[in-house]
Amino acid sequence: MRLNRTIERAYLRTLPGGGYVAIDVKYTRRLFRRGQYRGVVVVERRSAGERHRAFEPIVIARATGQTMDSVIHQLLPAAECNPAIGAALLRCVPPVIKAKPLRMRQPRIVHNVHA
């Protein structure tokens, strides 16, 4: 059984083209085990006005640690580097698959058809 606390936003910055990058950290405690902090770097590419409620922010990095500072220390380089964020977003986008051209089936000519 796990006992969870709420998620704490430990870092937030806006992106140059709109949207934001954030580090969210949550403390997870298990019965009979020592608790740990779990953190994620999330990226929202749209501004608050353009955001659709159906879309979740994209998670580009994860880390765990015994303290919140250790998790933030692991995730901060990924959250502050715009080229790394762009590369991670490109990895998250499914590749475009070119459609095969349609082959038109040639009509079959049938000889000696008896009705």
Side-chain angles (χ1 to χ4, degrees):
M1 182 175 153
R2 291 183 179 178
L3 302 172
N4 295 328
R5 291 187 191 171
T6 60
I7 296 173
E8 184 176 336
R9 180 140 295 165
Y11 175 84
L12 178 68
R13 79 174 174 94
T14 58
L15 289 173
Y20 65 87
V21 178
I23 297 177
D24 293 339
V25 182
K26 179 170 68 170
Y27 181 76
T28 304
R29 191 180 81 187
R30 300 180 192 180
L31 292 177
F32 308 115
R33 288 190 183 172
R34 187 174 182 182
Q36 65 182 3
Y37 289 89
R38 297 175 188 253
V40 293
V41 175
V42 293
V43 177
E44 175 63 57
R45 293 179 286 181
R46 295 170 292 275
S47 64
E50 299 172 0
R51 187 175 32 215
H52 301 296
R53 293 183 186 197
F55 295 114
E56 295 282 326
I58 298 171
V59 175
I60 63 167
R62 298 177 191 272
T64 59
Q66 296 301 318
T67 65
M68 183 182 288
D69 289 338
S70 68
V71 172
I72 294 170
H73 183 70
Q74 293 175 51
L75 295 175
L76 198 57
E80 290 183 335
C81 183
N82 285 341
I85 292 168
L89 289 174
L90 287 176
R91 285 192 303 268
C92 293
V93 175
V96 176
I97 300 172
K98 291 185 179 179
K100 294 180 182 178
L102 295 175
R103 280 192 333 190
M104 297 299 291
R105 192 190 284 184
Q106 296 295 328
R108 243 173 77 178
I109 300 173
V110 181
H111 298 285
N112 300 329
V113 176
H114 300 284

